[in-house]
Amino acid sequence: MKNVDSDELFYLRAMRLLIEACHNPYYQRRDAFAQIRRQMRQKRTEGNRPIVSERILLTMEEIELAQALHAQDRASHEAWALALATSLKTPLPDYRTNPLTGAAYAVETVSGQVVVRGIGRTLRMPLFEAAAN
């Protein structure tokens, strides 16, 4: 009970940081994730561990995975829009930078097929793999 107030304050400050970070694409949020992890480690070493935040409310692996999956989904939709616009020879949407990786998309036509590179990376999804087994 002695750490409840500081745990709640830690959670609220961390959530403020996460919400502010959401104004940026995923690849620019990684610093916020790292900052929260550092703050959690510091609290642990000080003997003021934010147990509820750490174990229930701010499970950083799950938060990061959810945000990465959202960014990957967005990148896939942007890539489809770029491919469709290219194949229809219409103006390209203003998507240049992948929200997951921060890298530029590359759109080209190869042997009559539109290819969009730089869509993303394979994400490990341990939460879903466990459910599938």
Side-chain angles (χ1 to χ4, degrees):
M1 289 298 292
K2 69 177 184 150
N3 290 342
V4 170
D5 287 340
S6 65
D7 194 331
E8 182 178 12
L9 182 60
F10 176 82
Y11 170 76
L12 292 172
R13 287 181 175 159
M15 284 306 298
R16 177 182 295 151
L17 182 62
L18 283 174
I19 290 167
E20 289 172 3
C22 285
H23 292 287
N24 299 319
Y26 172 81
Y27 68 92
Q28 293 177 343
R29 297 179 201 166
R30 292 186 216 148
D31 290 340
F33 301 147
Q35 183 178 345
I36 293 169
R37 287 179 191 277
R38 280 191 305 274
Q39 291 170 350
M40 280 185 183
R41 278 194 304 274
Q42 182 180 354
K43 290 274 189 192
R44 268 187 249 132
T45 60
E46 293 170 353
N48 193 17
R49 187 176 193 161
I51 295 172
V52 175
S53 293
E54 188 177 58
R55 293 188 181 169
I56 299 170
L57 302 174
L58 283 173
T59 52
M60 292 308 296
E61 293 82 14
E62 293 175 14
I63 289 171
E64 288 182 63
L65 176 61
Q67 292 197 16
L69 288 170
H70 181 264
Q72 177 68 59
D73 187 56
R74 172 70 188 246
S76 296
H77 283 82
E78 290 180 0
W80 271 109
L82 289 167
L84 288 171
T86 302
S87 67
L88 296 172
K89 297 180 180 11
T90 62
L92 293 179
D94 195 27
Y95 305 133
R96 300 293 177 253
T97 304
N98 180 319
L100 178 67
T101 64
Y105 294 112
V107 182
E108 59 184 331
T109 303
V110 178
S111 301
Q113 293 184 341
V114 176
V115 178
V116 181
R117 299 188 198 289
I119 298 171
R121 58 183 167 85
T122 302
L123 298 174
R124 300 201 76 214
M125 296 180 277
L127 300 175
F128 303 110
E129 288 175 359
N133 293 333

